[in-house]
Amino acid sequence: MPTAHTVRLYRAQLSSADESERCGRAAFAVRHLSEMRLLITATGDLDATNARALGRFVERHTGVSKQLVLDLSDVEFFGTEGFAALHYVSVHCARHDVDWLFIGGRTMRRIVAICDPDAELPLADGLGAALARLDHLGRCRHPVQSASRRPPQSDHAIPAPGRPVATATA
């Protein structure tokens, strides 16, 4: 019986064209800094009326990118739902192998310090620091070899469990 799978398709957004969205008392905008790096900016108030929309906006735009800076430095009000949106972004980025950092103003830093006392979320001091950190992360990554490019295994490879070991007889 065939198995059903869900495949998420993203529209390639390789142009540097800006896109923005307004939701409640917040506005979100995306700017492509390079083919693989995004800057998403949120301004206004992040609260229960638009925190999920921020998470969906990030999810929609990180389909082809591998690095994200989420700039929240101009957010005037940051409710606890905003923190939940940050957690959602963190989980989404981890699942899709996207390196990310966020920048926050004084108001939201207080909430994040209370809700994230162990500093698990990747907070940067400013855009320059965030970009430098992403550059460092990009250099530290080791490319994953596909199965077709892996070197051939030796004749002395460990057999799979349940398979007999083949021995050469002379």
Side-chain angles (χ1 to χ4, degrees):
M1 175 174 309
T3 11
H5 297 283
T6 301
V7 177
R8 206 173 268 211
L9 298 175
Y10 293 97
R11 176 172 42 106
Q13 298 176 354
L14 301 178
S15 70
S16 61
D18 294 349
E19 183 182 330
S20 61
E21 177 180 312
R22 192 147 192 65
C23 185
R25 295 178 54 162
F28 314 128
V30 63
R31 193 172 88 205
H32 296 266
L33 301 176
S34 70
E35 256 185 54
M36 301 303 279
R37 186 178 285 177
L38 290 178
L39 171 65
I40 293 181
T41 306
T43 57
D45 298 347
L46 279 179
D47 54 25
T49 63
N50 53 28
R52 275 195 176 158
L54 173 62
R56 287 191 300 267
F57 189 82
V58 168
E59 183 178 29
R60 243 186 357 259
H61 289 91
T62 53
V64 295
S65 296
K66 288 297 176 189
Q67 293 188 331
L68 165 69
V69 176
L70 181 59
D71 185 355
L72 305 174
S73 57
D74 289 331
V75 169
E76 296 166 11
F77 176 81
F78 189 78
T80 54
E81 295 85 359
F83 179 78
L86 283 179
H87 179 73
Y88 178 83
V89 168
S90 181
V91 169
H92 169 75
C93 288
R95 286 183 180 161
H96 296 280
D97 198 26
V98 175
D99 295 327
W100 80 288
L101 291 117
F102 72 99
I103 305 164
R106 197 170 61 102
T107 304
M108 71 146 300
R109 282 176 176 264
R110 274 188 265 152
I111 297 292
V112 170
I114 292 167
C115 295
D116 185 26
D118 297 327
E120 297 282 330
L121 294 173
L123 178 63
D125 290 330
L127 183 58
L131 295 176
R133 178 74 180 140
L134 288 175
D135 286 341
H136 176 74
L137 289 171
R139 283 190 305 270
C140 291
R141 289 218 177 238
H142 299 290
V144 177
Q145 285 186 338
S146 68
S148 63
R149 293 186 175 197
R150 289 190 184 136
Q153 292 184 349
S154 70
D155 293 337
H156 305 291
I158 299 172
R163 291 199 175 185
V165 177
T167 56
T169 55

